Structure formats: structure tokens, C-alpha cells
Amino acid sequence: MNRIDASEHYDESGFTHQTPSLLTVVIDTNPRAWAAIHDLLPISKAIANILVFINAHLAYGNENQVAVLAAHTNRAVWLYPTSPNPDYPPASRRRKAGDSGQDVEMTDVDRRGHRPREPQLGTSANKFPQFAQIESSILASLRSLIDGTSPSDLNPTTLISGALSMALSYIHKTSLAFEAPKTSADPANPTTAPSTKTAAPNLHARILVLSVSESEPAQYIPTMNAVFAASHAQIPIDTLALYSGPTFLQQAAFITNGVFLSAAANPRGLLTYLMFGFLSDVDARGSLVAPTQDSVDFRAACFCHRNVVDTGFVCSICLSIFCDVPENAECLTCGTKLALGTYGAKPAVVPRKKKKRKRINGTGREETGSATGTPGPA
């Protein structure tokens, strides 16, 4: 019977399931930056395009997962999944109460101490229940974030570094859940050495940053710490810049082998950039030609004035960068006395020695290219 229906060709023992992929999206929600590109791409249309991209990622595999964070002006907030301990009340209300220990009215619980239930989603045959749940959670959390933003919170700084740190922590926690249990040694032969074969990855994780603001020099150190941690964990950081050029995120994509694309010329094509540039996971990129950067801005921020500099002075002990020589030539970070050598001295000009020309047979005639000398007057 196997020869007739050819069932022997389908050996279930050799089938390997698809490795789950975790996509962590960090959305820059700086109101000032979105107001600058409101005429080209409002934040409402951008969120709609991101939801389509997230649904495509989830539909790519049954075990794929997604997490969404918002990098705001004064904090980083989870949009999906929602945090079990949300930051209620908003920071603006906590400032009104002060630090005197006064109670603040909690608007997210009822009199019995229970949280109000989220509104039930309408059943629709055209929307997958998981897609509807994620969409409802992201929109509700984003609306709560915008409502809790006061005019005093509107500053040009965006906490990308905090969002990256939270994303790395969530990825590490999720990878532990997918980690296979360690096999113990054989009780019959306890002297058997454990296998040194490299195990296949149990989770493909990556971070996608949707940036609309420039890099803040004051966040250079925490941002690069998060970038180096992601590089050590082999987690690529992809970046899609909708406005200007984030210097530090370019370096993050280069260091972690991620993808950096700039959509500043055409922000309306956000969905096209997302689907064609960032839909493939880490495993699939090995068989595809991923977009590359033509040039990378490797400028760093100085530790003294927090300015982005092209050239500077670097401490040989702690590798701190300074735009100018510190006072008394002492490192502001570790206090090491910097040896500047001959810095600032004028270069010494050495005169060039003149070469004497060779003379032929002791005569006064200089060597020329001809066999005979120059004829004199008749």
C-alpha cells in the first residue's frame, strides 16, 4: 500500500518544527518629532501600517511572537503585552501629589480593588482573534500613554536606551521559556563526558526600532551599553528612520549585523519599507540579500559636554572621550593623569639637503645627457 500512495516518502521522524521568531518593535512616540512629519505621515496611519506588519509576522509562523514598546519622552512603556504592574497614575499626577507620602487617587481600579475589564472585541469573520487582541491592546495602551502626557513632558529627548534595555530583558526571559531542559548524565555510565555538540537556537529574536527623532548625545553611554549587550547575545537591532538620521542607531545596526533603512525621503511608504526590508527573520536572512548601508556615521558623544564630535581625546584607562583637553589634563571619569606628549607644540621644520651634481673627469662641465659638451662660441 505504501508503494501505491507513496507514503513511505514522508517520514515524520525526520521532520523538524520551525524555530519560533520573536519580534520586538520599539516605536518612537515623541510628540514633537511626529508633529514635524504630520503632513507626510500622521502617527495614526503609521500605527495602522505597523499593525499590518505585525500581523504579517505572526502569520509567517504559528509559533511566532511579538512585543511592542513605546519610547516616550520621559519613560519607556509596554504596549503589548501589557505590563502586570502598569505605571499608574501617570507621572504628571504623581508630581502634583509631591513626595510627602500623600495618597493619590487611583482611577484604574474600582471600590473593591478590581481592575475594570477591557471592552469585549466585536466578533468578525474577517479578523483573526489574536490579531484583534493585539490591536486592541496596542491602541488602548498608546491612547493611555498620550492622555498621560503633560505639556511639561514635551521635550526633544526620546528614551531609546531604556526601551532597548527593556526589550533585551524581555527577550532573555522569553528565551528561557523556550530553552530545552538539560539532559543529565547516564546513570549507568556516570563517567561519560557531556556532548559538546552545539545545540540549535531555540528562539530567533530581533529588535526593530521605528525612529522619528535624532539621537540624543546625553544617551550615548546607555545606548551603546545596550547595543553591546545585544551584540553579545547575537540579537540584531534593525532601524527604520522616518526623519533625519539617528547616529547611534546606525552604529547599533552595524555592530549587531542588523538592517538600517532611511525613509526620510518618502515616509508615506512606511508599509513598503517594513514588508520588504524587515519581514524576514534572522534565519531567513541567510538566504536573502538584506539591505545594506552605504556609509555609517561613527561619531561619538564626548563625556564632558555631551556633544557629537568627529575627533577628540580618549583616556587610555577608561576610554572616555573628550572634545577638548580636560583641566589639568586629568580624566573626568577615572581621574587618570593624561600624558599628552608633545601635543600643542609647533612642528620642527628640517631644511632639505641639496644634492651635489656629479662632474665628469674633473672638468667644470656638469653631467648632461649628451656624449659631447656644449660647444662654445666661434
Side-chain angles (χ1 to χ4, degrees):
M1 190 65 181
N2 293 339
R3 297 180 179 179
I4 298 176
D5 58 6
S7 59
E8 61 183 3
H9 294 283
Y10 303 96
D11 186 8
E12 296 182 357
S13 61
F15 175 75
T16 57
H17 64 87
Q18 180 183 2
T19 303
S21 177
L22 172 59
L23 172 64
T24 306
V25 183
V26 178
I27 304 176
D28 186 355
T29 57
N30 193 322
R32 287 189 174 184
W34 282 105
I37 61 173
H38 179 75
D39 297 337
L40 299 176
L41 180 66
I43 187 173
S44 57
K45 293 185 178 180
I47 295 298
N49 294 335
I50 294 174
L51 291 175
V52 175
F53 170 71
I54 290 176
N55 294 342
H57 168 75
L58 295 176
Y60 190 76
N62 295 331
E63 297 184 359
N64 288 1
Q65 298 185 12
V66 68
V68 184
L69 293 94
H72 207 51
T73 56
N74 56 352
R75 60 188 183 275
V77 181
W78 282 104
L79 300 182
Y80 179 84
T82 56
S83 176
N85 298 318
D87 188 13
Y88 287 110
S92 59
R93 299 183 183 179
R94 292 200 307 270
R95 284 193 296 269
K96 293 179 181 180
D99 297 333
S100 59
Q102 300 178 359
D103 294 336
V104 182
E105 181 183 0
M106 304 296 292
T107 59
D108 61 324
V109 294
D110 55 12
R111 295 180 179 178
R112 297 182 179 180
H114 300 289
R115 298 184 185 275
R117 295 182 178 179
E118 296 182 358
Q120 298 294 333
L121 298 174
T123 58
S124 175
N126 297 326
K127 183 175 294 187
F128 189 62
Q130 185 180 6
F131 296 165
Q133 178 184 2
I134 295 176
E135 177 181 351
S136 176
S137 175
I138 293 177
L139 294 180
S141 302
L142 187 60
R143 188 179 299 108
S144 176
L145 176 63
I146 296 176
D147 295 340
T149 303
S150 60
S152 60
D153 298 331
L154 300 179
N155 53 69
T157 305
T158 304
L159 294 182
I160 293 293
S161 58
L164 291 178
S165 301
M166 295 174 61
L168 292 174
S169 301
Y170 181 80
I171 291 174
H172 178 68
K173 181 179 179 180
T174 307
S175 62
L176 293 179
F178 282 91
E179 186 177 359
K182 298 182 179 179
T183 58
S184 58
D186 188 4
N189 190 8
T191 60
T192 304
S195 177
T196 58
K197 183 178 180 181
T198 305
N202 50 13
L203 180 68
H204 292 308
R206 56 193 174 104
I207 300 175
L208 172 61
V209 181
L210 185 66
S211 174
V212 292
S213 56
E214 297 182 355
S215 298
E216 181 65 26
Q219 297 189 30
Y220 174 74
I221 298 177
T223 300
M224 298 311 296
N225 289 340
V227 170
F228 291 136
S231 176
H232 180 73
Q234 298 182 357
I235 301 174
I237 299 179
D238 303 333
T239 303
L240 178 59
L242 296 179
Y243 182 75
S244 69
T247 303
F248 304 151
L249 292 179
Q250 290 187 33
Q251 302 178 23
F254 179 82
I255 295 174
T256 61
N257 295 326
V259 177
F260 179 85
L261 288 179
S262 177
N266 185 20
R268 295 187 180 93
L270 172 61
L271 184 59
T272 303
Y273 284 102
L274 291 174
M275 298 297 289
F276 286 92
F278 302 99
L279 185 59
S280 58
D281 58 0
V282 180
D283 193 13
R285 290 179 183 180
S287 304
L288 300 175
V289 180
T292 57
Q293 306 182 53
D294 295 337
S295 60
V296 183
D297 190 355
F298 287 106
R299 293 183 300 170
C302 65
F303 287 34
C304 48
H305 302 93
R306 304 301 182 188
N307 297 328
V308 179
V309 295
D310 297 326
T311 58
F313 301 87
V314 181
C315 176
S316 58
I317 304 300
C318 63
L319 302 181
S320 299
I321 304 173
F322 305 102
C323 59
D324 200 356
V325 181
E327 186 178 358
N328 298 327
E330 293 183 359
C331 178
L332 302 179
T333 304
C334 62
T336 304
K337 187 70 175 181
L338 302 179
L340 301 179
T342 59
Y343 172 76
K346 296 182 178 180
V349 179
V350 180
R352 185 179 179 181
K353 296 182 179 180
K354 297 182 178 180
K355 292 184 178 180
K356 296 182 179 181
R357 296 181 178 180
K358 295 181 180 180
R359 300 181 180 275
I360 301 177
N361 297 329
T363 61
R365 183 176 60 84
E366 297 180 354
E367 181 182 2
T368 58
S370 60
T372 59
T374 304

